[in-house]
Amino acid sequence: MRFSELLNDAPEKEPERQYYYIKCAAELLKEKEAELGRKLTCHVTTFGCQMNARDSEKLLGVLKEIGYEEVESEDADFVIYNTCTVRENANNKVYGRLGILHGYKKKNKNMMIALCGCMMQEPTVVEHLKDSYKFVDLIFGTHNLYKFAELYTMALLNKKGMIIDIWKDTDQIVENLPISRKYPFKSGVNISFGCNNFCTYCIVPYVRGRERSRKPEDIVNEIKGLVADGVVEIMLLGQNVNSYGVGLEEKVSFADLLRMVNDIEGLKRIRFMTPHPKDLSDDLIEAMATLPKVCKHMHLPLQSGSSRILKKMNRRYTKESYLELVDKLRARIPDVAITTDIIVGFPGETEEDFLDTMDVVDKVHYDSAFTFIYSKRTGTPAAAMEDQVPEDVVKDRFDRLLALVQDHGHEKTKSFEGTVQEVLVEEVNEQDSSLVTGKMANNLTVHFPGDPSMIGQLVNVKLNCCKGFYFIGELV
Ligand code: SAH
Ligand code: SF4
Ligand code: F3S
């Protein structure tokens, strides 16, 4: 086949190699379109966090460049599941939905199914897929996502069985691949990949590999490009953004990076996710206090309020040091919004430990909190710990915690009623098309009368009426 010869000419260097494969794949797709007399469709489903979502935009970027048309439905010619494995229910969701995809594939002989993301970095998962999900065409992992165009081309030419390519780790970062953004006016921007913290409950370091930082100039250039393309708000993404700089030749801290990004003309808002309490420097607090574009919102994962459990979790802070940090943050930035993540039912958690968590929540009064039931992840140190907490005890604690954080959330939200806030208009309201929906700097939502021309603009909105966790407002 003439294509196998063509493929031998692929350049070694990245990203040129991937652009070469995109060109090859585009030709193959054109032939297919001519044969079928229609465009081919694709769909990418994201199961995980913001970083997972950003990866999906990279996959979609390649697919669109190849010539696919994106569709809402998973009944498409090419479907990718970008998976997450942070908790067991994330995995179960994928297996459940794969059954539905199989149904579509039986009806459409042109359909291809690919799986990628964090779940694929677990060898037991891939073994299970090989045995019981033989209709999957392509499986790849988190470290070789940049090779998607190449892997796709291989899968297209492959006539039998699935193609599996998973790497254990990588030290590479490949820049300048195509990206198709979900929103024209806001975007995630990776600043680092992987994690070195090894919290004992967490699987992320095993499936995302060691921490690597992107060069500051690559980050700044990407953001400048995004701004030129209409983006006004960016979210800097990393598992531990405030340890940014690890492995770089020049010494740049996360606060330094914020200052560089704040200088980018035309950019309006900067967010970041996720900082780790153990690395929250005074310099970072100062940067948030003084840089006008940085939203005064700190997502500061607590995980547990018990110093004993925090030690077992390998979080490297205590109840007291966490509370001191919050005090320091509020002293310097009185109107800062603080949100958090909390895990209930970590192995060995006693009622007393849990009451410490409730105590911290009571003292901090979070603007909002994500609460999770501890999920045992095979291969992590916590999975082998004794004293796993019984389900009914965990459920009872979870309900008490949720009630408390929701109370605080309502109270905090209500306190903004009647004020005027700057809002980024994000979309037309799904239920009522005479309304648009926007987000404030503290991440709260407001719906108010408006039209689609306002999408992507920053406007001032009066928050007339608090409806629990959101507002109904009016333009001022
Ligand atoms: N790097 C970030 C986010 C990690 S995953 C951080 O350190 O905060 C997002 C959240 O999922 C975590 O904050 C934690 O609360 C939760 N999580 C991680 N592993 C979990 C597990 N095994 N069971 C339940 N929740 C978990
Ligand atoms: Fe997981 Fe901890 Fe790393 Fe966050 S910091 S990704 S919770 S190991
Ligand atoms: Fe999930 Fe991977 Fe993100 S495990 S939370 S998608 S880094």
Side-chain angles (χ1 to χ4, degrees), residues 216 244-254 256-257 260:
Y244 173 79
V246 170
L248 288 178
E249 274 166 32
E250 57 183 310
K251 219 175 130 18
V252 195
S253 70
F254 181 57
D256 294 334
L257 182 70
M260 289 179 210

Side-chain angles (χ1 to χ4, degrees), residues 86-87 201 239 274 301 303 341 343 372-375 377:
V86 76
R87 284 170 290 275
Y201 51 82
Q239 292 299 348
T274 308
Q303 313 301 5
D341 292 350
I343 297 175
F372 304 107
I373 286 180
Y374 168 72
S375 172
R377 309 313 290 131

Side-chain angles (χ1 to χ4, degrees), residues 47-52 83-86 118-119 203-204 207-208 239:
F47 285 84
C49 61
Q50 283 95 342
M51 265 158 285
N52 201 237
T83 63
C84 170
T85 186
V86 76
C118 295
M119 205 175 141
I203 200 157
V204 170
V207 295
R208 286 272 169 179
Q239 292 299 348

